[in-house]
mmCIF file of all heavy atoms in Angstrom:
data_model
loop_
_atom_site.group_PDB
_atom_site.id
_atom_site.type_symbol
_atom_site.label_atom_id
_atom_site.label_comp_id
_atom_site.label_asym_id
_atom_site.label_seq_id
_atom_site.Cartn_x
_atom_site.Cartn_y
_atom_site.Cartn_z
ATOM 1 N N ILE A 10 -26.425 -55.576 -33.772
ATOM 2 C CA ILE A 10 -26.350 -54.161 -33.600
ATOM 3 C C ILE A 10 -26.340 -53.515 -34.974
ATOM 4 O O ILE A 10 -25.289 -53.359 -35.623
ATOM 5 C CB ILE A 10 -25.107 -53.732 -32.837
ATOM 6 C CG1 ILE A 10 -24.919 -54.552 -31.552
ATOM 7 C CG2 ILE A 10 -25.150 -52.212 -32.562
ATOM 8 C CD1 ILE A 10 -25.962 -54.302 -30.508
ATOM 9 N N VAL A 12 -26.186 -50.728 -37.807
ATOM 10 C CA VAL A 12 -25.504 -49.396 -37.678
ATOM 11 C C VAL A 12 -25.445 -48.770 -39.067
ATOM 12 O O VAL A 12 -25.347 -49.453 -40.037
ATOM 13 C CB VAL A 12 -24.090 -49.405 -37.038
ATOM 14 C CG1 VAL A 12 -24.192 -49.846 -35.591
ATOM 15 C CG2 VAL A 12 -23.169 -50.346 -37.808
ATOM 16 N N VAL A 42 -23.086 -59.036 -32.907
ATOM 17 C CA VAL A 42 -22.846 -58.880 -34.381
ATOM 18 C C VAL A 42 -23.142 -57.502 -34.813
ATOM 19 O O VAL A 42 -24.308 -57.070 -34.775
ATOM 20 C CB VAL A 42 -23.720 -59.939 -35.162
ATOM 21 C CG1 VAL A 42 -23.409 -59.801 -36.665
ATOM 22 C CG2 VAL A 42 -23.497 -61.345 -34.643
ATOM 23 N N ILE A 43 -22.125 -56.799 -35.270
ATOM 24 C CA ILE A 43 -22.229 -55.456 -35.767
ATOM 25 C C ILE A 43 -22.670 -55.608 -37.281
ATOM 26 O O ILE A 43 -21.922 -56.145 -38.075
ATOM 27 C CB ILE A 43 -20.972 -54.661 -35.651
ATOM 28 C CG1 ILE A 43 -20.553 -54.482 -34.200
ATOM 29 C CG2 ILE A 43 -21.123 -53.227 -36.284
ATOM 30 C CD1 ILE A 43 -19.051 -54.133 -34.067
ATOM 31 N N VAL A 44 -23.870 -55.089 -37.622
ATOM 32 C CA VAL A 44 -24.362 -55.218 -38.971
ATOM 33 C C VAL A 44 -24.390 -53.787 -39.630
ATOM 34 O O VAL A 44 -25.154 -52.925 -39.247
ATOM 35 C CB VAL A 44 -25.773 -55.862 -38.966
ATOM 36 C CG1 VAL A 44 -26.130 -56.167 -40.413
ATOM 37 C CG2 VAL A 44 -25.881 -57.049 -38.081
ATOM 38 N N ASP A 45 -23.429 -53.615 -40.513
ATOM 39 C CA ASP A 45 -23.193 -52.285 -41.073
ATOM 40 C C ASP A 45 -24.071 -52.099 -42.346
ATOM 41 O O ASP A 45 -23.926 -52.800 -43.357
ATOM 42 C CB ASP A 45 -21.715 -52.200 -41.531
ATOM 43 C CG ASP A 45 -21.366 -50.836 -42.060
ATOM 44 O OD1 ASP A 45 -22.219 -50.034 -42.352
ATOM 45 O OD2 ASP A 45 -20.115 -50.579 -42.184
ATOM 46 N N ASN A 46 -25.016 -51.168 -42.287
ATOM 47 C CA ASN A 46 -25.953 -50.888 -43.358
ATOM 48 C C ASN A 46 -25.394 -49.924 -44.425
ATOM 49 O O ASN A 46 -25.789 -48.797 -44.583
ATOM 50 C CB ASN A 46 -27.238 -50.333 -42.847
ATOM 51 C CG ASN A 46 -28.192 -51.418 -42.279
ATOM 52 O OD1 ASN A 46 -28.626 -51.264 -41.176
ATOM 53 N ND2 ASN A 46 -28.473 -52.404 -43.064
ATOM 54 N N ALA A 47 -24.303 -50.384 -45.064
ATOM 55 C CA ALA A 47 -23.705 -49.552 -46.170
ATOM 56 C C ALA A 47 -23.257 -48.161 -45.707
ATOM 57 O O ALA A 47 -23.411 -47.195 -46.433
ATOM 58 C CB ALA A 47 -24.758 -49.382 -47.334
ATOM 59 N N GLY A 56 -15.728 -51.106 -37.093
ATOM 60 C CA GLY A 56 -16.384 -52.318 -36.864
ATOM 61 C C GLY A 56 -15.448 -53.557 -37.029
ATOM 62 O O GLY A 56 -15.478 -54.471 -36.224
ATOM 63 N N ARG A 57 -14.611 -53.494 -38.071
ATOM 64 C CA ARG A 57 -13.679 -54.655 -38.245
ATOM 65 C C ARG A 57 -12.617 -54.694 -37.165
ATOM 66 O O ARG A 57 -12.196 -55.767 -36.800
ATOM 67 C CB ARG A 57 -12.993 -54.507 -39.609
ATOM 68 C CG ARG A 57 -13.882 -54.794 -40.806
ATOM 69 C CD ARG A 57 -13.152 -54.834 -42.089
ATOM 70 N NE ARG A 57 -13.969 -55.355 -43.154
ATOM 71 C CZ ARG A 57 -14.736 -54.610 -43.988
ATOM 72 N NH1 ARG A 57 -14.692 -53.334 -43.833
ATOM 73 N NH2 ARG A 57 -15.464 -55.219 -44.959
ATOM 74 N N ALA A 60 -14.205 -56.249 -34.195
ATOM 75 C CA ALA A 60 -14.475 -57.676 -34.438
ATOM 76 C C ALA A 60 -13.257 -58.561 -34.237
ATOM 77 O O ALA A 60 -13.377 -59.833 -34.264
ATOM 78 C CB ALA A 60 -15.062 -57.872 -35.839
ATOM 79 N N ASN A 66 -18.562 -60.037 -33.966
ATOM 80 C CA ASN A 66 -18.493 -60.250 -35.406
ATOM 81 C C ASN A 66 -18.906 -58.943 -36.105
ATOM 82 O O ASN A 66 -19.584 -58.096 -35.573
ATOM 83 C CB ASN A 66 -19.407 -61.440 -35.825
ATOM 84 C CG ASN A 66 -18.960 -62.746 -35.299
ATOM 85 O OD1 ASN A 66 -17.855 -62.876 -34.841
ATOM 86 N ND2 ASN A 66 -19.892 -63.732 -35.275
ATOM 87 N N TYR A 67 -18.543 -58.880 -37.365
ATOM 88 C CA TYR A 67 -18.864 -57.706 -38.158
ATOM 89 C C TYR A 67 -19.353 -58.160 -39.519
ATOM 90 O O TYR A 67 -18.726 -59.032 -40.115
ATOM 91 C CB TYR A 67 -17.689 -56.793 -38.381
ATOM 92 C CG TYR A 67 -17.839 -55.665 -39.344
ATOM 93 C CD1 TYR A 67 -18.443 -54.490 -39.010
ATOM 94 C CD2 TYR A 67 -17.464 -55.799 -40.676
ATOM 95 C CE1 TYR A 67 -18.699 -53.452 -39.900
ATOM 96 C CE2 TYR A 67 -17.599 -54.837 -41.587
ATOM 97 C CZ TYR A 67 -18.247 -53.563 -41.175
ATOM 98 O OH TYR A 67 -18.431 -52.620 -42.111
ATOM 99 N N ILE A 68 -20.502 -57.609 -40.041
ATOM 100 C CA ILE A 68 -21.017 -57.835 -41.350
ATOM 101 C C ILE A 68 -21.238 -56.564 -42.117
ATOM 102 O O ILE A 68 -21.795 -55.622 -41.439
ATOM 103 C CB ILE A 68 -22.405 -58.564 -41.188
ATOM 104 C CG1 ILE A 68 -22.286 -59.895 -40.443
ATOM 105 C CG2 ILE A 68 -23.015 -58.804 -42.593
ATOM 106 C CD1 ILE A 68 -23.619 -60.525 -40.224
ATOM 107 N N LYS A 69 -20.812 -56.564 -43.334
ATOM 108 C CA LYS A 69 -21.037 -55.291 -44.107
ATOM 109 C C LYS A 69 -22.097 -55.598 -45.205
ATOM 110 O O LYS A 69 -21.925 -56.519 -45.993
ATOM 111 C CB LYS A 69 -19.756 -54.808 -44.790
ATOM 112 C CG LYS A 69 -19.894 -53.631 -45.705
ATOM 113 C CD LYS A 69 -20.277 -52.371 -44.902
ATOM 114 C CE LYS A 69 -20.324 -51.074 -45.757
ATOM 115 N NZ LYS A 69 -19.000 -50.576 -46.145
ATOM 116 N N LEU A 70 -23.144 -54.796 -45.274
ATOM 117 C CA LEU A 70 -24.202 -54.940 -46.224
ATOM 118 C C LEU A 70 -24.043 -53.839 -47.269
ATOM 119 O O LEU A 70 -23.558 -52.722 -46.928
ATOM 120 C CB LEU A 70 -25.640 -54.886 -45.586
ATOM 121 C CG LEU A 70 -25.856 -55.929 -44.492
ATOM 122 C CD1 LEU A 70 -27.363 -55.722 -43.959
ATOM 123 C CD2 LEU A 70 -25.645 -57.327 -45.018
ATOM 124 N N ALA A 78 -31.025 -55.590 -42.111
ATOM 125 C CA ALA A 78 -29.866 -55.934 -41.253
ATOM 126 C C ALA A 78 -30.215 -57.018 -40.327
ATOM 127 O O ALA A 78 -29.500 -57.980 -40.099
ATOM 128 C CB ALA A 78 -29.419 -54.685 -40.467
ATOM 129 N N GLU A 81 -30.720 -60.451 -42.183
ATOM 130 C CA GLU A 81 -29.404 -61.005 -42.613
ATOM 131 C C GLU A 81 -28.725 -61.594 -41.429
ATOM 132 O O GLU A 81 -28.219 -62.733 -41.549
ATOM 133 C CB GLU A 81 -28.566 -59.882 -43.218
ATOM 134 C CG GLU A 81 -27.164 -60.354 -43.592
ATOM 135 C CD GLU A 81 -27.143 -61.207 -44.865
ATOM 136 O OE1 GLU A 81 -28.190 -61.265 -45.580
ATOM 137 O OE2 GLU A 81 -26.171 -61.915 -45.043
ATOM 138 N N CYS A 82 -28.697 -60.972 -40.292
ATOM 139 C CA CYS A 82 -28.001 -61.500 -39.125
ATOM 140 C C CYS A 82 -28.752 -62.684 -38.533
ATOM 141 O O CYS A 82 -28.091 -63.733 -38.294
ATOM 142 C CB CYS A 82 -27.896 -60.381 -38.058
ATOM 143 S SG CYS A 82 -27.059 -60.903 -36.587
ATOM 144 N N TRP A 83 -30.003 -62.527 -38.345
ATOM 145 C CA TRP A 83 -30.823 -63.577 -37.685
ATOM 146 C C TRP A 83 -30.877 -64.879 -38.531
ATOM 147 O O TRP A 83 -30.863 -66.001 -38.028
ATOM 148 C CB TRP A 83 -32.181 -63.076 -37.277
ATOM 149 C CG TRP A 83 -32.151 -62.077 -36.184
ATOM 150 C CD1 TRP A 83 -31.085 -61.655 -35.424
ATOM 151 C CD2 TRP A 83 -33.252 -61.350 -35.656
ATOM 152 N NE1 TRP A 83 -31.487 -60.740 -34.555
ATOM 153 C CE2 TRP A 83 -32.817 -60.544 -34.643
ATOM 154 C CE3 TRP A 83 -34.652 -61.347 -36.039
ATOM 155 C CZ2 TRP A 83 -33.636 -59.678 -33.864
ATOM 156 C CZ3 TRP A 83 -35.455 -60.477 -35.331
ATOM 157 C CH2 TRP A 83 -35.008 -59.662 -34.250
ATOM 158 N N ASN A 85 -28.786 -66.008 -40.413
ATOM 159 C CA ASN A 85 -27.468 -66.704 -40.508
ATOM 160 C C ASN A 85 -27.018 -67.147 -39.129
ATOM 161 O O ASN A 85 -25.795 -67.454 -38.997
ATOM 162 C CB ASN A 85 -26.459 -65.815 -41.258
ATOM 163 C CG ASN A 85 -26.679 -65.755 -42.719
ATOM 164 O OD1 ASN A 85 -26.409 -66.706 -43.423
ATOM 165 N ND2 ASN A 85 -27.164 -64.626 -43.159
#
Side-chain angles (χ1 to χ4, degrees):
I10 311 292
V12 295
V42 182
I43 301 165
V44 190
D45 184 350
N46 281 126
R57 287 188 170 91
N66 295 342
Y67 171 83
I68 301 172
K69 179 67 179 282
L70 304 182
E81 178 71 19
C82 179
W83 290 355
N85 287 288

